[in-house]
Amino acid sequence: MRAVIQRVTHASVTINGREKSSIGAGFLILLGIEETDTVADAEWLVRKVANLRVFDDADGVMNRSIMDTEGQALVVSQFTLFASYKKGNRPSWLRAARHEISIPLYEAFCDLLSKTLGRPVATGEFGADMKVELLNDGPVTICMDTKNKE
């Protein structure tokens, strides 16, 4: 499981010209799921994201988590995070999980994050052509991969 976590002042997802979800300050999380990923990967990643200390404290030091700031989260499925670009110029998506694996894991990640944060998590729509708008704060962008836990 691979995630790109962006600290944002706001973010939204629009599908077919209609806004589906929007958040204020918090995280926009682009989530890619691989064939070999499991619920254990989702659990690990949720713990890391929820406790990631990239929000400023009173002294302006990145020392607070999204839980500390009561920030919001928007999770968008992003199979392109597993693009293979070694051969030619057209990426291959062979490492991205099929829908029967990725949809339940995406939903499990969102549910786990919501329970951990103690508030609803905004989402995109799996498989939809989405327009994602954000204002990256910092900019702060962190990439995490459950295959690199150590």
Side-chain angles (χ1 to χ4, degrees):
M1 201 169 278
R2 190 171 284 169
V4 175
I5 301 114
Q6 296 180 298
R7 187 179 76 182
V8 299
T9 58
H10 64 83
S12 64
V13 171
T14 301
I15 302 169
N16 295 325
R18 299 175 110 181
E19 185 176 270
K20 181 187 186 305
S21 299
S22 65
I23 63 167
F27 284 149
L28 168 64
I29 302 165
L30 304 176
L31 184 68
I33 298 168
E34 191 174 21
E35 287 285 326
T36 58
D37 288 331
T38 66
V39 172
D41 290 307
E43 291 168 344
W44 180 87
L45 191 55
V46 163
R47 279 192 305 275
K48 293 301 278 187
V49 168
N51 293 294
L52 185 63
R53 297 185 324 174
V54 295
F55 293 92
D56 290 349
D57 63 16
D59 297 322
V61 176
M62 287 195 288
N63 202 27
R64 299 178 73 206
S65 71
I66 192 169
M67 293 180 54
D68 297 330
T69 63
E70 298 183 5
Q72 297 177 305
L74 170 58
V75 183
V76 176
S77 62
Q78 187 76 41
F79 76 94
T80 61
L81 291 178
F82 283 104
S84 175
Y85 45 84
K86 291 183 181 183
K87 293 170 65 176
N89 292 317
R90 182 166 190 233
S92 166
W93 319 112
L94 291 175
R95 289 185 55 201
R98 293 168 285 135
H99 284 192
E100 56 269 19
I101 293 170
S102 54
I103 291 172
L105 284 175
Y106 170 77
E107 291 172 351
F109 178 88
C110 293
D111 289 343
L112 288 164
L113 185 59
S114 179
K115 287 176 184 161
T116 300
L117 297 178
R119 56 192 161 276
V121 168
T123 62
E125 183 177 310
F126 197 93
D129 180 17
M130 296 175 273
K131 306 302 179 208
V132 179
E133 185 175 327
L134 69 132
L135 182 57
N136 194 317
D137 182 19
V140 174
T141 302
I142 308 285
C143 299
M144 290 186 185
D145 193 315
T146 59
K147 303 302 186 260
N148 297 326
K149 293 178 184 171
E150 298 179 25

